[in-house]
Structures are given as structure tokens and as C-alpha cells.
Amino acid sequence: MSFFEYLLRLTSWPMTPPVLYGPFHLIAAFGGSAIAILAAWRFSSINNCNTNNRDNRRSFDQIMLVSGVILLIGELYKQLMNFYIVNNHAYDWWIFPFQLCSLPLYLCPLLILIHNEKRHRILCTFLLDFNMMGAVATFIDPSGIFHPYWTLTLHGVLWHLMLIFVGFVIIFSRKADLTTKGFLRALPLFAFFCLAAEVLNSILHRFSAANLFYISPWEMSTQLLFGDIDRTLGRPVGILLYILAMIAGAWLIHNTARKITDVVSTSAPHQHAPH
């Protein structure tokens, strides 16, 4: 056993996976979300105190960059823990980091490199609408993040709380385009990532089970309700309905964010208007 693997085994504390809608689940979902939202308010409040728009943008992008680095460290731990401890030196392509909720790992650091304001807002809108929707959906059905190891379960919980934090930083910093047109502009990005996931699914299914974005035609859905749809109506119909459900969920997040922004604008008129 290598020293590196030895260190991982020191953190492989076993646990009984939490019960859905039990105390652990509810505290993690509601308590954790409250802390994430308060932290987002704190960081975005610091951000909004800047009087210079360029400084405001730089501060926001730095928060996103740090968030991306935190996600990267967490993902590396998850991948290594699964490889060395859970799967005994075998790679499980099911956890390849290209799910909808994995995208902020790549997109948050990318924001600092995008100088075009329109493209920056489109990417922020996508992160808010689709990735926070993914986080909310995961807490509704967290079976995929509850593991027989404490650190992996905490990783799953903290990862999705981080997505809520990122989403609310975007809301409070007013970096997304919360108009209907703004949502429509984010849809091609979602379509691109769905297509990329399906291409990867077509490649990876030859080696192992993989269901990126949960839309692989070779794997039945493990998602709540959609597994039943697959068995009843067939996998193609299930995939189509799942994609439409993700779009509908993102639209709901988009409109909720707009209402939150309106409330914040009314209660805090001293903050800067969107630019």
C-alpha cells in the first residue's frame, strides 16, 4: 500500500447512508442552504461595495475562481477515494466528472477569462439557472450523494451547497440576465453540454456503465420518477421528458431569482444597479 493510499484510508470512515428525509437530510438541505445563502450575501455585499464597475467584476470573478478551486480539490478527493478505497484500484466511469452539477468545476474559473460582458452574463445565467436547479433537485432526491463513507457523503452535500452559494452570489451580485431573453440565451449552452454528454456516453458505455447528465440511451434512469417513466414509456421518451424537466426547473429558478432580485433591490436601494 502506498503512503498516498494510506492517507486516504485514514479518512474512509464508514457510515450507514442517511435515510431520505431523515434528520441528516433535512438539516443538510435546509440548514446548509441557509448558511450558503448567508455566505453568498456576505461575499456579494463586499463585492457590491465597490464603486468601480471594473473592481466589482474583478472581485466577483475572484470569488468564482476560488469557488472553482474548492470544487476541484473536492473532486480530486472524490475521484481518488473512489478509485483506491471504494472500487479497489478500478475506475468507475459512472462518476466521471461531467454531470450537470459538475459543470461549475470548469465554468466558475472560466469566468475570469471571459472579457466580453454579454458572454459573461450568459455564462452566469447558465450557472444560476441550470446548476442551482441541479443542486436543488439533488437535495429533493439525495440518494446519489449518500454513501457508506462519511467523507464521500459530506463531499456530496458540500458540493451541492457550493452550487447554491455560487447561484446566490450571482443573484446578489446581479451578474445574470434575468429577462426571458436571458434565459433563452442560456439554452444553447445547455443544449451544447447535453450533446457533449451524449457523445461521451456513446464512448464510455463501451468500457463501463456511464450515464452522464442521466441521458445515456444505454442506461436506465436512476432518478426519482424518471426510472418509472423509462420502464413504462421507454428510454427515448424518458430522456426527452427528463431534458424538458431540467429546462422547466431552470426556468423556475430563473423566475425565482428575478423575484429575489426585485426584493433585494427594494430593500437595499444603495446597491449598484446592474451594468
Side-chain angles (χ1 to χ4, degrees):
M1 181 192 303
S2 66
F3 180 69
F4 188 68
E5 182 177 348
Y6 171 74
L7 291 178
L8 286 170
R9 290 192 179 278
L10 290 178
T11 66
S12 59
W13 308 308
M15 73 175 299
T16 301
V19 177
L20 297 187
Y21 302 102
F24 181 94
H25 178 189
L26 296 178
I27 291 172
F30 292 103
S33 295
I35 293 172
I37 294 169
L38 288 173
W41 173 257
R42 171 60 178 163
F43 279 101
S44 57
S45 295
I46 292 172
N47 185 26
N48 282 325
C49 285
N50 293 315
T51 57
N52 185 288
N53 283 344
R54 182 175 297 178
D55 291 341
N56 180 286
R57 165 70 185 272
R58 184 183 302 114
S59 176
F60 173 83
D61 286 348
Q62 288 171 350
I63 293 171
M64 294 296 104
L65 177 61
V66 172
S67 299
V69 171
I70 292 172
L71 290 173
L72 174 62
I73 294 171
E75 184 63 29
L76 286 174
Y77 175 84
K78 171 189 171 182
Q79 294 291 328
L80 292 171
M81 181 72 173
N82 274 278
F83 178 79
Y84 282 106
I85 309 301
V86 178
N87 298 312
N88 193 24
H89 295 235
Y91 189 74
D92 181 5
W93 290 100
W94 191 273
I95 63 167
F96 185 77
F98 200 81
Q99 299 288 1
L100 181 62
C101 292
S102 304
L103 295 181
L105 169 67
Y106 314 107
L107 300 182
C108 285
L110 183 62
L111 284 168
I112 204 168
L113 302 177
I114 299 177
H115 303 293
N116 181 280
E117 192 65 26
K118 179 180 177 181
R119 293 175 181 173
H120 189 274
R121 290 180 74 81
I122 290 173
L123 192 53
C124 285
T125 304
F126 177 84
L127 279 166
L128 168 61
D129 294 348
F130 286 92
N131 293 127
M132 193 157 76
M133 177 274 296
V136 172
T138 297
F139 280 119
I140 293 174
D141 177 19
S143 54
I145 63 171
F146 287 170
H147 302 278
Y149 293 97
W150 273 103
T151 48
L152 288 179
T153 296
L154 291 175
H155 168 274
V157 169
L158 294 175
W159 181 283
H160 292 87
L161 290 177
M162 195 71 183
L163 302 196
I164 292 174
F165 166 80
V166 166
F168 272 91
V169 168
I170 293 172
I171 292 174
F172 295 143
S173 300
R174 306 178 191 181
K175 295 301 183 184
D177 182 351
L178 296 179
T179 64
T180 300
K181 183 180 290 186
F183 179 78
L184 294 176
R185 284 174 174 169
L187 281 180
L189 199 54
F190 174 66
F192 168 78
F193 286 123
C194 284
L195 179 61
E198 205 67 302
V199 170
L200 287 171
N201 281 327
S202 68
I203 296 171
L204 297 179
H205 91 278
R206 303 171 185 271
F207 306 102
S208 177
N211 196 4
L212 307 182
F213 273 47
Y214 295 97
I215 58 172
S216 172
W218 295 277
E219 301 291 336
M220 298 291 281
S221 177
T222 57
Q223 301 291 83
L224 188 68
L225 177 64
F226 289 96
D228 295 329
I229 292 175
D230 284 354
R231 287 184 287 272
T232 303
L233 301 178
R235 183 60 172 148
V237 175
I239 291 174
L240 176 60
L241 292 178
Y242 185 66
I243 290 174
L244 292 176
M246 286 194 285
I247 294 173
W251 174 245
L252 180 61
I253 294 292
H254 189 85
N255 283 282
T256 302
R258 180 163 49 196
K259 292 178 181 178
I260 293 172
T261 301
D262 290 342
V263 171
V264 171
S265 298
T266 302
S267 61
H270 63 281
Q271 291 183 347
H272 298 304
H275 55 81

